[in-house]
Amino acid sequence: MAEPLWTSQTIAAATGGRAAGADFVASGVSIDTRSLEAGDLFIALAAERDGHVFVPAALAAGAAGVLAARPAAAPAVIVADTTSALTALAEAARDRASEARRGAVTGSVGKTTVTQMVRAALMLAGDGHGSVRSYNNHIGVPLTLARMPRQTRRAVFEIGMNHAGEITPLSRLVAPHVVAVTNVEAAHVEHFADGEAGVAAAKAEILAGLRPGGEAILNADNRWFGRLAAAARETGAKVRSFGLAAGADARLTRFEPTSAGAVVEASVDGEQIAYGLRQSAPHLGPMSLCAMLMMSALGVELSTAADALADFGPLEGRGQERRISAGAGAFTLIDESYNASPVSVTAAIHALGARPTTGRRVAVLTDMLELGAEGPGRHAALAKAIEAADVDLVFCAGPLMRLLWDALPRARRAEWAPSAGELAPCLARAVRPGDLVMIKGSHASGAALLVDTLTKLEAAA
């Protein structure tokens, strides 16, 4: 019989808290009543809203007990501060799963995709654990650890940042045996006076918690590879590389889009391998190799890793496709709305251009945020990618995307609006049967609203 994830006694011991009310056994951990499952421990965090307000809703949804900073009319463990208690719970979960090998992933672009690729392989191999969605901050990382069962053999964690100093404590909390930096690009640069160099230094913080004798997996094609490799070697880490560059430990030799996704061929430590992907975006070739190296470092067989990659589907907001039947026919929607940076938008545009279609290739772009003074120039520069991909029509929303709009030839201009909400009705009227429509932008600039607008066309048809 599987050991309980947590009991009121083990929670109290881990957090230094005081058990109150009836003893309880928790099969999961939740901080959100909207996703809470029966049997979960509910942690009442003090965030934008005080989590204690939601204790009754958590109990009504079937919470086994609560972790709270004040008395609750429920089975509970009472602590001084619930955020600190969550971290203490994470440390206890890490330490009790003493046989688990842990990996941590960061990077400007691709970290969620790589993390989820690795997680899929760990689950396939058995007794795996990992981040769900983009749980990569000071709450998400300890939450993922707190959910880790004692019998876990392998686990992977995503670690993100907006500012310097954010990754270091999270890396030390995870204490990984292997880390990966997918790349360093112009993302969140508004928070760094020295631009990409500052981002590179912040990403290198993932080495802070790396266990002695650990591995660092780095992008051989990235301009910051040398600096990151030197920083890794200073910690005593073994450097492993992936990419197109000659000499990479995992070197991409062929990436061919197909009707079902893509075929990848590579040399991994001198061994020739081939596997399929269910997506055709070219940047997924190197990213899959990054995942492959981490899977290997965590003890997953190469054949299992290839099987997991072949079955790995697009994540929500990161390349998911759907056929939308509306009016006289159907069009294809590519949802890239989760977030955006100059590199990821350029990659999405290139992927759109590489796709065969009988209709128009349509790019719908909202502002890329957190680029600081580089923002205007980075938006205007996307015009080159649009031309190279031979995109037929471009819809733009937001003041920064106005710079791209102005840089485009008139023949490619569809519509510009000050916001996604104002663009939405124009876009809905303009799509035609056979179109291939890709939507991408920063989450806060409303790209997801445009996805929702087009998705609703099917319901209205």
Side-chain angles (χ1 to χ4, degrees):
M1 186 174 180
E3 180 181 337
L5 182 65
W6 295 105
T7 67
S8 48
Q9 290 84 5
T10 57
I11 295 167
T15 62
R18 173 178 57 85
D23 291 344
F24 65 88
V25 175
S27 55
V29 181
S30 176
I31 60 171
D32 189 338
T33 55
R34 293 168 297 183
S35 56
L36 183 145
E37 296 183 1
D40 280 354
L41 167 71
F42 176 68
I43 303 180
L45 296 178
E48 294 180 6
R49 296 186 64 183
D50 185 356
H52 294 82
V53 173
F54 299 99
V55 168
L59 295 172
V66 300
L67 183 61
R70 55 178 183 258
V77 174
I78 308 301
V79 294
D81 178 82
T82 51
T83 300
S84 298
L86 172 59
T87 299
L89 209 61
E91 291 173 341
R94 178 199 65 203
D95 292 345
R96 72 182 179 184
S98 57
E99 299 302 313
R101 287 187 59 79
R102 297 177 298 278
V105 182
T106 194
S108 298
V109 180
K111 58 183 175 290
T112 300
T113 296
V114 168
T115 301
Q116 294 305 316
M117 284 178 168
V118 174
R119 181 177 181 271
L122 302 190
M123 303 307 285
L124 188 61
D127 290 330
H129 182 72
S131 302
V132 295
R133 302 180 184 174
S134 292
Y135 282 13
N136 62 22
N137 63 8
H138 68 291
I139 298 298
V141 174
L143 178 61
T144 302
L145 268 169
R147 290 171 167 173
M148 186 170 69
R150 182 189 296 271
Q151 67 269 23
T152 299
R153 295 171 57 202
R154 307 175 185 90
V156 62
F157 302 84
E158 178 182 341
I159 300 181
M161 65 90 196
N162 291 318
H163 299 80
E166 291 179 338
I167 290 180
T168 292
L170 298 179
S171 176
R172 288 176 175 159
L173 180 62
V174 172
H177 300 81
V178 54
V179 299
V181 182
T182 60
N183 47 39
V184 175
E185 304 292 351
H188 309 301
V189 290
E190 72 171 348
H191 304 303
F192 295 90
D194 49 353
E196 276 189 33
V199 176
K203 297 300 184 187
E205 291 177 26
I206 200 167
L207 297 162
L210 186 63
R211 291 174 64 88
E215 295 185 23
I217 298 168
L218 306 173
N219 190 333
D221 302 331
N222 191 258
R223 62 182 293 213
W224 300 102
F225 173 76
R227 178 177 295 192
L228 291 172
R233 292 188 180 104
E234 285 179 6
T235 70
K238 177 182 179 182
V239 174
R240 302 273 283 156
S241 60
F242 67 92
L244 293 163
D249 296 294
R251 182 168 179 261
L252 185 66
T253 55
R254 178 176 170 239
F255 186 92
E256 183 176 331
T258 67
S259 59
V263 172
V264 179
E265 292 182 1
S267 171
V268 179
D269 294 327
E271 180 180 348
Q272 301 302 310
I273 63 170
Y275 51 91
L277 293 176
R278 290 171 55 189
Q279 301 174 73
S280 60
H283 70 280
L284 292 175
M287 290 300 102
S288 69
L289 292 179
C290 177
M292 185 79 74
L293 288 180
M294 177 160 281
M295 294 170 194
S296 176
L298 293 175
V300 177
E301 295 290 335
L302 202 59
S303 59
T304 302
D307 288 344
L309 289 172
D311 197 43
F312 182 78
L315 303 172
E316 183 177 359
R318 294 178 171 88
Q320 267 192 350
E321 292 187 25
R322 66 194 80 177
R323 290 283 288 172
I324 307 293
S325 297
F331 63 92
T332 299
L333 173 61
I334 305 172
D335 179 4
E336 288 276 6
S337 64
Y338 182 78
N339 218 332
S341 69
V343 171
S344 67
V345 174
T346 299
I349 291 169
H350 286 165
L352 177 64
R355 286 284 298 273
T357 179
T358 56
R360 304 174 300 179
R361 294 184 181 88
V362 180
V364 185
L365 305 173
T366 65
D367 283 354
M368 302 179 292
L369 305 179
E370 298 187 15
L371 296 178
E374 295 185 13
R378 293 283 190 167
H379 283 74
L382 293 174
K384 292 181 180 179
I386 295 288
E387 287 294 305
D390 197 23
V391 173
D392 296 293
L393 289 176
V394 182
F395 290 82
C396 295
L400 288 168
M401 275 300 167
R402 179 72 200 207
L403 281 300
L404 169 59
W405 177 260
D406 291 339
L408 289 171
R410 290 188 181 276
R412 299 195 193 277
R413 294 178 181 175
E415 192 73 46
W416 172 83
S419 69
E422 292 166 282
L423 182 65
C426 304
L427 177 62
R429 289 192 298 268
V431 289
R432 297 178 187 170
D435 282 350
L436 186 60
V437 183
M438 184 274 292
I439 299 178
K440 189 161 183 66
S442 289
H443 178 73
S445 63
L449 182 152
L450 296 171
V451 171
D452 188 52
T453 296
L454 293 191
T455 302
K456 286 178 178 177
L457 290 178
E458 185 163 52

